Amino acid sequence: MAQKKQPAVLCPQCELNDVCRQYEKDDALRAAGESLGDVTPQNNVAKGVSVCQAENRFEYLYAVHEGAFKSVVTLPGGEERVTGFHFAGEIIGAEGVSTGKYGRTVVALQDGQVCYFPETAFSADENDNSKIRQGLLMAMSHQVKNEQWTGLMAAHRAEQRVALFLFMISKRFEFHGFSSDEFRLPMSRDDIASYLGLAVETVSRSFQKLKGAGMIQVSGRNVILEDRDALQGFS
Amino acid sequence: MAQKKQPAVLCPQCELNDVCRQYEKDDALRAAGESLGDVTPQNNVAKGVSVCQAENRFEYLYAVHEGAFKSVVTLPGGEERVTGFHFAGEIIGAEGVSTGKYGRTVVALQDGQVCYFPETAFSADENDNSKIRQGLLMAMSHQVKNEQWTGLMAAHRAEQRVALFLFMISKRFEFHGFSSDEFRLPMSRDDIASYLGLAVETVSRSFQKLKGAGMIQVSGRNVILEDRDALQGFS
DNA sequence: GTAAAAAATTGATTAAGATCAAACGTAAGC
DNA sequence: GCTTACGTTTGATCTTAATCAATTTTTTAC
């Protein structure tokens, strides 16, 4: 069966738009770009394939054009934990700019597409790439905000975490111009459980409780937010 | 009694060093700087005073020169939650660059000092501030990494969270050149509990268990890490 | 389209952490 | 220096979520 496609971000809405569009349109910047390496738009990544590996040398910053991705880290004890999600219009590998290596392994949840931005584009060289850096700053700041959401997931009660999770997803979809009150979750219950630090069974039961309370409709991965404000107030 | 001072970051070690030092030394950049507004170094902030308020318009990005700060968010339900800490050499307000407003209220845990970087320094104007932006990119990327740490705090077990918390603190102190295996925690048990999503009593008990296991020594806020690797492996 | 595999839900029991309550230690104020 | 207030630790009970186990649903493969 055909994999249902996740929404793709329109290039004009992408925070890194300037970098890509200028590259394609502006010959001067394109020339400068050549010396920086390529900014390659829209490369396919098949479901389950990783974009980058934790601890590997940072070579590219990525932007999600289409699809959904998860960040995974392997803890010293061997346990794997999902630490975040990346949707269309968001960046992957931001921590690498300062550390020089990827901090997370990032895996495609469905077939998708990512754009590449070479490390040289934001290293301390003498080229003036202020346009590029401006776009990167925006994307980076946005990423900080997303990571801050994640921090809130350490809420006390399980239902609160799940409610907050759905609210966050909704807000992020909305920001990038996708449906914010009715969507299909790209990740498994296992991924959600790992991300929230809960058992799968607890996640499942929390979904049912939120459903029972009339806040959401759920059928497998399909979710409709009946009352997003209530969801937020509850979390 | 005199408040025990938190270590101050030496300006040459600050990721925003270029911005400040160039400002002070390089006349050309200084001239450019004037048109951007001031980069004001080392302003005092008294214990309990807030650097910025959530939802307020983003005017300055801050860098911690000395002291320790906590980020606080008020949830819709009214509950206050600590979402992060900021130590010497780290930035405050990174999310504001993209959102235009502060996402967290940031409060001084002790008397400290912060440096100001005006919003105009990284807005999309025609001035070439690539040096400034380079420094900001680094600091921002670093902030992403710190926020990613926070995300991991949704660990399953309470002792793991506390162990991971201490490990994180240690790593961050080490990065900025401070003592990494023996330090005084600048935040209360309440703050830690809120940050980790645990009850104060559970935090206290976790400390005692880690002590009993020989991983740490604790006396109030004074902590010695006996075996940091074990702490990491455990978390 | 059907079979097999994986994912998700539901139920019963156990364990972990929250809550309630009180005592102790440290730090601030007089 | 003494008193008071706040922060921290310790104890007992109760609630919540993890675990163990089985079933149902959805997805994948042939």
Side-chain angles (χ1 to χ4, degrees):
Chain A
M1 194 194 83
Q3 179 74 44
K4 187 183 175 179
K5 276 203 172 185
Q6 278 295 117
V9 75
L10 297 173
C11 289
Q13 295 174 340
C14 178
E15 275 169 327
L16 294 171
N17 169 18
D18 277 341
V19 186
C20 276
R21 303 238 310 172
Q22 294 288 338
Y23 179 78
E24 290 180 78
K25 294 167 88 173
D26 187 314
D27 282 348
L29 191 68
R30 187 191 192 102
E34 305 286 7
S35 74
L36 300 171
D38 258 353
V39 175
T40 319
Q42 304 172 17
N43 289 265
N44 290 322
V45 184
K47 178 180 177 178
V49 172
S50 66
V51 174
C52 58
Q53 293 280 339
E55 303 303 324
N56 276 10
R57 197 175 81 75
F58 175 67
E59 288 181 285
Y60 299 98
L61 185 81
Y62 304 92
V64 179
H65 175 72
E66 181 181 334
F69 297 78
K70 66 173 173 180
S71 281
V72 178
V73 68
T74 304
L75 296 176
E79 182 200 356
E80 286 218 329
R81 197 133 83 215
V82 175
T83 62
F85 300 99
H86 308 263
F87 305 122
E90 299 177 345
I91 58 175
I92 291 172
E95 74 283 358
V97 174
S98 67
T99 61
K101 61 181 182 182
Y102 297 109
R104 305 281 184 261
T105 297
V106 181
V107 180
L109 293 166
Q110 292 97 24
D111 297 350
Q113 296 185 323
V114 294
C115 304
Y116 290 59
F117 299 87
E119 183 267 340
T120 43
F122 26 83
S123 65
D125 59 22
E126 293 309 313
N127 294 331
D128 171 20
N129 309 308
S130 61
K131 273 259 172 64
I132 293 184
R133 286 188 178 141
Q134 173 61 20
L136 288 173
L137 264 181
M138 283 294 155
M140 202 81 90
S141 173
H142 196 83
Q143 183 62 19
V144 169
K145 199 187 118 206
N146 283 344
E147 300 286 349
Q148 286 181 344
W149 272 116
T150 301
L152 276 182
M153 298 299 162
H156 294 80
R157 300 224 314 285
E159 274 177 77
Q160 290 180 332
R161 294 192 205 189
V162 175
L164 186 57
F165 170 76
L166 290 171
F167 183 76
M168 173 199 71
I169 298 282
S170 172
K171 273 285 189 189
R172 281 164 72 174
F173 280 2
E174 182 181 46
F175 181 85
H176 294 293
F178 310 130
S179 173
S180 62
D181 51 6
E182 187 172 350
F183 47 80
R184 183 173 173 79
L185 293 169
M187 73 291 287
S188 70
R189 294 285 194 274
D190 261 296
D191 288 336
I192 298 172
S194 174
Y195 179 64
L196 297 177
L198 298 170
V200 206
E201 298 92 328
T202 305
V203 171
S204 183
R205 277 184 256 263
S206 296
F207 269 102
Q208 302 313 315
K209 281 184 187 171
L210 292 173
K211 187 183 183 178
M215 295 191 203
I216 61 168
Q217 283 182 234
V218 203
S219 176
R221 294 190 180 191
N222 295 103
V223 176
I224 300 174
L225 306 189
E226 294 286 355
D227 187 351
R228 199 173 73 168
D229 292 335
L231 209 60
Q232 183 187 25
F234 176 75
S235 64
Chain B
M1 194 194 82
Q3 179 74 45
K4 187 183 175 179
K5 277 203 170 185
Q6 276 297 118
V9 75
L10 298 173
C11 288
Q13 294 173 342
C14 179
E15 275 170 325
L16 295 170
N17 167 19
D18 278 340
V19 186
C20 278
R21 304 238 310 173
Q22 294 289 336
Y23 179 77
E24 289 180 78
K25 294 169 88 173
D26 187 313
D27 282 347
L29 192 69
R30 188 191 192 102
E34 306 286 6
S35 73
L36 300 172
D38 259 353
V39 175
T40 320
Q42 305 171 16
N43 289 266
N44 291 322
V45 184
K47 179 180 176 177
V49 172
S50 65
V51 174
C52 57
Q53 293 280 340
E55 302 304 324
N56 276 11
R57 195 175 81 74
F58 175 67
E59 289 181 284
Y60 299 98
L61 185 81
Y62 304 93
V64 179
H65 176 73
E66 181 180 335
F69 298 78
K70 65 173 173 180
S71 280
V72 179
V73 68
T74 304
L75 296 176
E79 181 202 356
E80 285 219 331
R81 198 134 82 216
V82 175
T83 62
F85 300 100
H86 307 263
F87 305 121
E90 299 177 345
I91 58 174
I92 291 172
E95 74 283 359
V97 175
S98 66
T99 62
K101 60 181 183 182
Y102 297 108
R104 306 280 184 262
T105 297
V106 181
V107 181
L109 293 166
Q110 292 97 25
D111 298 349
Q113 297 186 321
V114 294
C115 304
Y116 290 58
F117 299 86
E119 184 267 337
T120 45
F122 26 83
S123 64
D125 60 20
E126 294 309 313
N127 293 332
D128 170 21
N129 309 307
S130 61
K131 272 261 172 66
I132 293 184
R133 287 190 178 140
Q134 173 61 20
L136 289 172
L137 265 181
M138 282 295 156
M140 201 80 91
S141 174
H142 196 82
Q143 183 63 19
V144 169
K145 199 188 117 204
N146 282 345
E147 299 286 349
Q148 286 180 344
W149 273 115
T150 300
L152 276 183
M153 298 299 163
H156 293 82
R157 300 222 316 284
E159 274 177 76
Q160 290 180 332
R161 294 193 205 190
V162 175
L164 187 57
F165 170 77
L166 290 171
F167 183 76
M168 174 198 70
I169 298 282
S170 172
K171 272 285 189 186
R172 282 164 71 174
F173 280 2
E174 181 181 48
F175 181 85
H176 294 292
F178 311 130
S179 172
S180 62
D181 53 6
E182 188 170 352
F183 46 82
R184 184 173 171 79
L185 293 169
M187 73 291 287
S188 69
R189 294 285 193 274
D190 260 295
D191 289 334
I192 299 173
S194 174
Y195 178 64
L196 297 177
L198 298 170
V200 206
E201 297 92 330
T202 305
V203 171
S204 183
R205 277 184 258 262
S206 297
F207 268 102
Q208 301 314 315
K209 282 185 186 169
L210 292 173
K211 188 181 181 178
M215 294 191 203
I216 60 169
Q217 283 182 234
V218 201
S219 176
R221 293 191 181 191
N222 295 103
V223 176
I224 300 174
L225 306 189
E226 293 288 355
D227 187 351
R228 199 172 73 167
D229 291 335
L231 209 60
Q232 182 186 26
F234 177 74
S235 64

